[in-house]
Amino acid sequence: MSARDHAARVPLSFLLPGVQARVDAIDEAIDPTQREQLVAYGLAPGRPLVVLQQRPMTLVMIDEVELALEDSVARHVWVTRR
Amino acid sequence: MNASAIALVGNPNVGKSVLFHRLTGAYVNVSNYPGTTVEVARAAACFDATIDLVDTPGVLTLPARSDDERATMRALLHEPLRAVIQVGDAKNLRRTLTLTALLAELGVPTVLALNMHDEAGARGVTVDAEALSDALGIPVVPTVATGGEGVAQLTHRVADASTPQPLLRYDAAAETAIADLAQRIETQAPHPRLTARGMAILYLGQDSEVEAWLQQAAGEASAEFAATRGIAHAAGVTPAALAHERGEAAGTLAARVTARSAQSSPVLAHRIGQWVIHRVWAWPILLGVLFAVYEFVGVFGAGTLVGLMEETVFGGILNPAITGFVQQHISIGWLANLLVGEYGLWTMGMTYALALILPIVTTFFIAFGLLEDSGYFARLSVLANRLFKLIGLNGRAVLPMVLGLGCVTMATLTTRILHSPRERLITIFLMALAIPCSAQLGVVLGLLGGISFSALLIWVVSMFAVLMLAGFLAARLIPGRRIPLVTEMPPIRLPLLGNVAKKTVGRLKWYLIEVIPLFLLGTLIMFLLDQFGALPAIIRAGEPLVSGWLGLPKEASAAFVMGFLRRDFGATGLFALSHQLSPIQAVVGMVTITLFVPCIASVMMIIKEQGLKVAAAMLALIIPFAFLIGGVLNHLLRAVWA
């Protein structure tokens, strides 16, 4: 078993710009409609992303989509570093 | 309206409206900001005049959740659709195909326009359109709507539209629930065009429009549908689960037909996009943008152009000529007066509308269109988010608020891009209260700027303080939760001048059609009040409030009467008094009239969007509040500034 299988799940808002990660789960703390919205934007469990910046808002790139998330949302998106 | 229609559907900001324009020649408001098609637009197709082309607002998710999505769903349910042209973003195929998956399930004949494939190419993304067409069993046409590329081919292929092959089977539990519900729908409430399976999937996904349609079609039996759905939800067949499976299937197909070449460096547009919201560079860039807009609208539009129109064209040429002509040919005194007197329809109403307002709104709409098409506004919403958080909103509200600086009426309609009724209510209220439209801004800049910079600054600070205070209170008093901002950044693009020009002309047309009748009506009312000697009575009646509390000359009452028609009209009334106003009176007058009721057209729009009760409540709040703030400011300034 490699170390990768034990990688910690961390909030998206913790990652530094430039870090690549994979979405693990979207927390129930985010309201259901907004969760559906995130999935529609492409921020769905299993998908890879790159963090572009964290201030003034979290900005991630998923394929060709640039998505800006407020901290109160980004901290409830659980990701694993790649 | 034709008996048969073709709808353009797609995700937000993929170029539906540009394509609509290409396919019909009709004008729709198009911009590089998600959600600018706020209502369904329709026009005869230029390739077949017997077909109506219907442009729908962009959908992020179906089943529908937002007003825009519901409008699109209504079009699918109620329009006599022969086919759908799905417009997709070539560089975002996963999202595109998630929607295709649903169209396949609904059994809608579809053609896929794979738009913006030039942008995809610039990012190293290529889509194998032929392979995609084979996999879906429908025509797939790569297009660049802005340049017209592929549009001719698209019109040829519309006739070949067919129902896409299914993209997925759901998991066993979901399929059982879908089959069960579909069978009930088939027997009790079949849709004339859409399949029972598709309706069942949308109903399980809690689409409110499908729910309403089924309820009407099935009557009593719809209780049975609800019970079936309840059982399915309990078994884990939730809207989120269904959406997730569709997304996975779409992603799988997208990955198969998309090729990505590694890129050495990100494209320039992408880098600019990031500088614009960089934690440090964003602010100097914002200041630069504001300065450029001020130079163009405030200095060039409100200064140079207004001066040219008012003094040279109207004051020097048109007005003397027309006044001379009227006085020569019309001997009835009151009629001549009505046309060219102090409150004359031409000398006051038309001169004001065309010489003062037109140059300002024209330059404003050009600047707004350029910023809109460049993709800057979406990024501005990221920068403004923190500020808007204080007033219970999120950064998305920045677009209607900035548009409100052009025309509050138009901006009130644009609040439909906001996601919750609560956000819309707060935004509409704040715009009605404290956002001056460009016409009024022009008058304010003219009057206060002429006095001193500090007078102008006091006005700006007062407006901002009132906006924040009222928003802060509204956010706490209006029940409901604030929605955090999650938004996509559209690519930074060089605005197309043709598109900006088209949009500016469309907006100006709207503005003038709304504004000129009101100016004429306002002038007529003033004329009548003046003719029948009612003005002195009004001035006397308003004296305690206007002179006592606000400390203004008593003639200013007339300005407030005019303010009921349009705020800027009222402001102009004050402008006319300016030679007898002290700096404090000018500031207090302008602050009060800016806060005072918005124009009749925007009140009408508020009634249309929010209902009579809400509109009446807003006015009942705004009018006393305007005088309260004005009076407080008057006493404050007299104490510290005199």
Side-chain angles (χ1 to χ4, degrees):
Chain A
M1 202 180 258
S2 71
R4 172 156 295 190
D5 296 325
H6 292 286
R9 295 177 171 199
V10 293
L12 175 57
S13 57
F14 284 12
L15 300 185
L16 283 171
V19 169
Q20 303 194 353
R22 189 176 291 279
V23 180
D24 275 310
I26 299 171
D27 210 294
E28 308 257 317
I30 302 170
D31 123 321
T33 317
Q34 196 144 44
R35 260 183 284 152
E36 272 184 59
Q37 222 182 72
L38 288 171
V39 171
Y41 274 130
L43 197 87
R47 301 206 70 205
L49 57 83
V50 185
V51 178
L52 298 177
Q53 62 182 61
Q54 287 286 8
R55 287 197 170 269
M57 278 173 75
T58 304
L59 189 69
V60 297
M61 184 89 156
I62 312 158
D63 284 350
E64 300 304 320
V65 180
E66 263 180 71
L67 201 61
L69 305 103
E70 199 175 305
D71 187 62
S72 59
V73 177
R75 92 163 75 116
H76 295 297
V77 175
W78 298 95
V79 298
T80 313
R81 290 188 59 153
R82 289 198 293 151
Chain B
M1 197 169 134
N2 283 308
S4 126
I6 293 177
L8 286 169
V9 299
N11 303 122
N13 204 27
V14 295
K16 285 181 300 298
S17 297
V18 180
L19 199 57
F20 179 77
H21 178 74
R22 290 260 169 208
L23 293 174
T24 61
Y27 167 83
V28 231
N29 194 11
V30 190
S31 61
N32 185 11
Y33 190 97
T36 26
T37 306
V38 285
E39 276 180 292
V40 171
R42 82 170 54 236
C46 57
F47 54 89
D48 183 347
T50 64
I51 298 176
D52 267 355
L53 219 56
V54 179
D55 186 26
T56 61
V59 289
L60 177 61
T61 61
L62 277 184
R65 298 286 179 256
S66 69
D67 286 351
D68 281 354
E69 289 157 1
R70 279 187 278 274
T72 300
M73 200 61 231
R74 272 197 299 278
L76 288 174
L77 285 167
H78 302 288
E79 294 284 343
L81 293 183
R82 160 194 301 202
V84 155
I85 298 176
Q86 190 195 341
V87 188
D89 181 349
K91 64 184 181 305
N92 198 348
L93 201 56
R94 179 191 161 103
R95 197 185 299 169
T96 302
L97 294 178
T98 307
L99 183 57
T100 316
L102 207 61
L103 293 173
E105 276 151 350
L106 284 168
V108 181
T110 304
V111 178
L112 179 59
L114 217 46
N115 199 24
M116 307 196 281
H117 80 93
D118 56 332
E119 268 184 13
R123 288 164 180 243
V125 178
T126 42
V127 177
D128 185 343
E130 215 165 302
L132 186 57
S133 172
D134 286 344
L136 292 171
I138 59 170
V140 175
V141 183
T143 56
V144 181
T146 48
E149 199 181 306
V151 175
Q153 208 203 340
L154 183 66
T155 58
H156 292 141
R157 300 305 301 276
V158 167
D160 305 331
S162 55
T163 303
Q165 293 295 314
L167 275 83
L168 75 156
R169 304 294 291 174
Y170 295 88
D171 67 63
E175 284 293 341
T176 314
I178 293 166
D180 181 15
L181 197 55
Q183 203 209 341
R184 289 170 202 273
I185 291 173
E186 190 64 61
T187 50
Q188 276 146 5
H191 190 279
R193 285 177 312 277
L194 305 175
T195 65
R197 177 180 163 87
M199 295 289 278
I201 290 168
L202 283 166
Y203 184 78
L204 282 172
Q206 286 177 320
D207 184 294
S208 54
E209 292 298 324
V210 168
E211 216 169 283
W213 192 93
L214 285 176
Q215 203 156 32
Q216 221 202 338
E220 299 272 295
S222 63
E224 211 179 280
F225 301 163
T228 313
R229 180 168 68 185
I231 295 168
H233 283 187
V237 184
T238 59
L242 295 173
H244 182 73
E245 288 186 41
R246 265 194 304 275
E248 291 283 285
T252 309
L253 178 55
R256 191 168 84 70
V257 297
T258 306
R260 281 166 205 281
S261 63
Q263 269 188 305
S264 49
S265 66
V267 279
L268 179 66
H270 181 75
R271 255 186 281 169
I272 294 175
Q274 282 190 266
W275 289 333
V276 166
I277 46 173
H278 186 270
R279 49 192 285 252
V280 179
W281 300 123
W283 307 106
I285 293 174
L286 176 62
L287 282 181
V289 169
L290 287 177
F291 181 74
V293 170
Y294 173 77
E295 281 292 316
F296 183 61
V297 180
V299 178
F300 175 69
T304 315
L305 287 184
V306 168
L308 184 74
M309 290 289 279
E310 199 187 9
E311 281 157 33
T312 315
V313 179
F314 276 78
I317 305 167
L318 285 177
N319 285 2
I322 289 175
T323 307
F325 179 83
V326 167
Q327 279 167 350
Q328 214 170 7
H329 292 86
I330 297 178
S331 49
I332 310 164
W334 67 266
L335 189 59
N337 245 340
L338 174 63
L339 293 173
V340 295
E342 189 190 351
Y343 297 107
L345 292 180
W346 176 266
T347 37
M348 185 178 189
M350 292 303 279
T351 303
Y352 182 52
L354 298 180
L356 254 87
I357 305 306
L358 191 62
I360 301 174
V361 291
T362 307
T363 46
F364 179 86
F365 286 147
I366 290 173
F368 190 86
L370 286 171
L371 286 177
E372 214 177 8
D373 276 16
S374 68
Y376 188 68
F377 276 130
R379 286 165 177 84
L380 195 57
S381 68
V382 167
L383 299 181
N385 191 49
R386 191 170 296 215
L387 192 66
F388 279 51
K389 206 170 174 173
L390 296 173
I391 54 177
L393 298 172
N394 70 44
R396 211 181 294 272
V398 85
L399 182 93
M401 292 262 191
V402 174
L403 183 58
L405 292 173
C407 172
V408 173
T409 315
M410 215 180 277
T412 302
L413 186 67
T414 312
T415 56
R416 292 188 183 185
I417 65 166
L418 302 179
H419 288 180
S420 76
R422 178 175 180 269
E423 288 174 303
R424 294 191 62 194
L425 183 62
I426 296 178
T427 311
I428 290 176
F429 171 68
L430 291 179
M431 289 195 303
L433 177 70
I435 300 285
C437 71
S438 58
Q440 196 180 14
L441 268 177
V443 181
V444 169
L445 287 176
L447 179 62
L448 297 184
I451 293 174
S452 69
F453 181 71
S454 45
L456 192 59
L457 196 65
I458 293 173
W459 178 83
V460 171
V461 170
S462 309
M463 281 303 126
F464 186 72
V466 166
L467 185 73
M468 294 308 288
L469 176 71
F472 184 82
L473 292 176
R476 268 137 203 90
L477 294 175
I478 298 172
R481 278 202 311 163
R482 173 184 172 272
I483 299 178
L485 181 63
V486 171
T487 189
E488 190 179 356
M489 302 286 100
I492 288 279
R493 297 177 184 136
L494 202 61
L496 288 173
L497 290 182
N499 197 16
V500 173
K502 250 178 246 154
K503 236 181 336 196
T504 305
V505 169
R507 286 187 169 131
L508 279 176
K509 219 156 80 185
W510 205 65
Y511 190 81
L512 289 177
I513 289 170
E514 171 215 301
V515 120
I516 289 181
L518 274 180
F519 277 5
L520 295 182
L521 180 68
T523 314
L524 183 68
I525 291 174
M526 291 306 291
F527 174 80
L528 292 176
L529 290 175
D530 185 53
Q531 281 285 305
F532 295 104
L535 273 181
I538 289 170
I539 288 170
R540 254 198 317 282
E543 204 175 338
L545 188 61
V546 172
S547 303
W549 172 242
L550 295 179
L552 298 177
K554 57 187 194 306
E555 291 78 16
S557 292
F560 286 100
V561 173
M562 290 158 78
F564 268 110
L565 284 158
R566 285 187 60 87
R567 284 195 286 196
D568 51 314
F569 212 62
T572 317
L574 281 181
F575 197 87
L577 289 174
S578 62
H579 55 278
Q580 42 172 306
L581 292 178
S582 73
I584 291 182
Q585 286 177 323
V587 172
V588 170
M590 280 301 175
V591 166
T592 313
I593 208 111
T594 310
L595 295 175
F596 198 55
V597 279
C599 70
I600 286 189
S602 69
V603 172
M604 292 300 187
M605 186 60 85
I606 296 173
I607 294 174
K608 180 168 165 262
E609 293 293 302
Q610 296 279 326
L612 191 60
K613 247 162 81 182
V614 174
M618 280 189 190
L619 289 187
L621 216 60
I622 287 172
I623 296 173
F625 191 72
F627 283 103
L628 175 73
I629 296 287
V632 169
L633 190 66
N634 172 38
H635 290 93
L636 201 69
L637 288 179
R638 275 172 205 278
V640 299
W641 193 27

